[in-house]
Amino acid sequence: MDRVSALDEPLKKTLGPATAKVMAEHLDLHTVGDLLHHYPRRYEERGQLTKLAELPLDEDVTVVAQVADSRVLTFNHGRGQRLEITLTDGSGRLQLVFFGRGIHKPHKELPPGSRGMFAGKVSVFNRKLQLAHPTYVPLGTDSGEDAVDAFAGKLIPIYPACKGLESWKITKAVDAVLPRAAEAVDPLPPALRAGRGFGSLPEALLKVHRPETRADIEDARQRLKWDEAFVLQVALARRRHADAQLPAVPRRPVAGGLLDAFDAKLPFTLTDGQQKVTAEIFADLATEHPMHRLLQGEVGSGKTLVALRAMLAVVDAGGQAAMLAPTEVLAQQHHRSVTEMMGELAQGGMLGGAEHATKVVLLTGSMGAAARRRALLDLVTGEAGIVIGTHALIEDKVQFHDLGLVVVDEQHRFGVEQRDALRSKGKQPPHLLVMTATPIPRTVAMTVFGDLETSVLDQLPAGRSPIASHVVPAQDKPHFLARAWERVREEVEKGHQAYVVCPRIGDDEDEKAKKKPAAEAKATEAKAAEDAEKRPPLAVVEVAEQLTGGPLQGLRIEVLHGRMQPDDKDAVMRRFGAGEVDVLVATTVIEVGVNVPNATAMVIMDADRFGVSQLHQLRGRVGRGSAPGLCLLVTDAPEASPARARLGAVAATLDGFELSRIDLEQRREGDVLGQAQSGVRSSLRMLAVIEDEEVIAAAREEAVAVVGEDPGLAGYPELRTALDALLDTEREQYLDKG
């Protein structure tokens, strides 16, 4: 990589090993360049005090405020001393508390009337907000007149900080590396910079870290947002351009073939949305370049049917189609529903198979050797026109006669390597259709799935029933939970079935606990005492036992989770599908693709432990038949908490696109780009995917123009350098994973 070496220099050389270690471990900052791109969260003015009235509880805050009064109190019969300082800013008051020997320095340095910058965790004591033993910096009261004047009106950057590294310590660290900003490589082409009136990157870095005015901050933000949006869109445009150069076999539907025979069997007509999306897909399949299309649709909007018709069209045109599913349960479910929908058309080469029939085979890792051999043979000879499977499809042994279309279900579960490994099995690159039931706002689709054209199915098929959703506050109103179980019984008495979803399987945590060494166990106990109110999430195994012996006694209850043997899982799903099980207590293995029209009720335990999109996905498993669906979100979260607000939002709307926007607004941008689970920073530090739609759209246009004119970026060495920095392994994965 040819990045400028000064910005690649490890922080420990500049800041020393102790500070560098904290920065690396807690903020994921390793080099001078990383620190220069760690931007202030907000800015304070010396003359403008933070609103103390709006301080969040239990969060680390930094405030600039004035000392209203200060007093030393004694306790424990005069043996102990406590210093209490009251801060004010006109909007509210905040108490600082220092104990023991630690009181003398702040008592001297923070007299009434002085100002300071204070950092600590906000707590409540005697109904007053307080910071206990905060770290602080007096703001110039003892300084000479000149120093105070120099400080007056200056903007103070407040950085995203962590325990052991307050905002002002980061300020000092940034001061140490800021001269290196002059050597930052500018990724924006000079013509683009001039056309949009942007200054240079070193100038923007200087303005964002040490602004003279609010206008400086705005200039810097706009410029840095553009850097992020443009480099990302160039990466995606290059991928689209490279894919468009690949040859592909056009696959056009054949009149009177398998697709026509299938359509004639359908007991309903396609929705307008399904027809429109199908037309887009068929137009792509007819071209000599591989299709790259993202099909996003609401839960239950009929994506599988659209994908199946595309697969049948490819089989008619002499090719094979493969559908990749993220789990065995889902692969088996898809195989079952596809063969049921196709009927005798899926019995190619068998007695009773229709004239145009093909074989539909299943391929998963847990299949027996004989079944696996048979499936592999059907693929290599071309007997099987359609294969549905898990990662097992990607293995070297799997060979196709003529792979024409790859359908990837639930795209976010697969990385770029898996997608490409399957595509490489075609004689020429096959067409690619990616499906997701997680609705994605347009800007996120442009940012995360920017290498794919997008089709949206937002219409539900006729005959789908409404789903009523309610929050059940089990802690505040236990009788609501009792009523929830009564509702499940009522549904079963009407001949319907129900799901109960839990966040955890059970047993495993207990086993791990037994194996823990004593010291670790002690530490865990201490943590448990500290988190007494944070009980472990409810588990499938335990909840199933409680229901069997309690509120749902007498009903046929079974469990389903990821640690069961694949055959056992499939057997449970078959029994549930056949109506032999009343209540299925499961983990999120049922989240996608499970289709049992007779299941009308779902109770989600500890619903606040799931994300908004996940709750929406789970809820989509009910209301799939003619009877109305019911989804009960059980929670112990207190009424005014953000978790309850989130559940309220889910209960209030069935519109997945609306929910995905709420979800995104409540989370860090990093979550969108697949980085959140690891806690790692997203590569987007300034760009806000929802708010900056115009920037993203404009950057995409500019990127397409640059790549169209110079695909190898030979004339843009600085842009190539910035791309190298973005597209290290981790980033490349997120570009394709989303």
Side-chain angles (χ1 to χ4, degrees), residues 311 388 458 534 587 647:
M311 293 197 286
I388 296 169
D458 49 11
K534 295 181 193 165
T587 56
L647 296 180

Side-chain angles (χ1 to χ4, degrees), residues 253-268 305 308-309 312-313 315-316 340-346 353-358:
V254 177
L258 189 56
L259 178 62
D260 283 354
F262 175 75
D263 283 349
K265 279 172 57 76
L266 280 180
F268 50 81
L305 178 63
L308 175 56
R309 292 184 72 248
L312 296 176
V315 175
D316 275 344
E340 278 167 15
M341 276 197 271
M342 286 175 66
E344 71 279 6
L345 296 174
E355 181 195 346
H356 301 291
T358 186

Side-chain angles (χ1 to χ4, degrees), residues 119-180:
K121 187 173 261 193
V122 183
S123 58
V124 172
F125 183 70
N126 279 344
R127 299 195 177 175
K128 287 182 189 166
L129 289 180
Q130 74 166 25
L131 300 181
H133 275 284
T135 34
Y136 65 91
V137 171
L139 293 184
T141 41
D142 313 335
S143 318
E145 204 56 43
D146 295 347
V148 172
D149 287 345
F151 199 88
K154 210 172 195 182
L155 289 159
I156 305 164
I158 306 291
Y159 287 92
C162 63
K163 196 173 177 185
L165 205 60
E166 295 84 6
S167 173
W168 51 79
K169 287 186 183 166
I170 297 173
T171 302
K172 281 183 180 169
V174 170
D175 282 338
V177 300
L178 207 47
R180 312 283 182 84

Side-chain angles (χ1 to χ4, degrees), residues 9 46 76 284 288 494:
E9 192 174 279
R46 185 168 187 272
N76 204 2
D284 284 358
E288 294 184 355
K494 287 181 199 163

Side-chain angles (χ1 to χ4, degrees), residues 143-226:
S143 318
E145 204 56 43
D146 295 347
V148 172
D149 287 345
F151 199 88
K154 210 172 195 182
L155 289 159
I156 305 164
I158 306 291
Y159 287 92
C162 63
K163 196 173 177 185
L165 205 60
E166 295 84 6
S167 173
W168 51 79
K169 287 186 183 166
I170 297 173
T171 302
K172 281 183 180 169
V174 170
D175 282 338
V177 300
L178 207 47
R180 312 283 182 84
E183 298 172 61
V185 172
D186 202 323
L188 296 191
L192 191 159
R193 262 199 338 256
R196 296 197 171 263
F198 289 139
S200 69
L201 178 58
E203 202 179 296
L205 289 170
L206 205 58
K207 280 182 173 180
V208 80
H209 288 293
R210 299 296 171 262
E212 296 290 324
T213 62
R214 293 269 168 195
D216 280 355
I217 300 168
E218 195 43 42
D219 285 353
R221 279 179 180 278
Q222 285 311 315
R223 165 64 224 249
L224 294 166
K225 278 180 182 183
W226 253 90

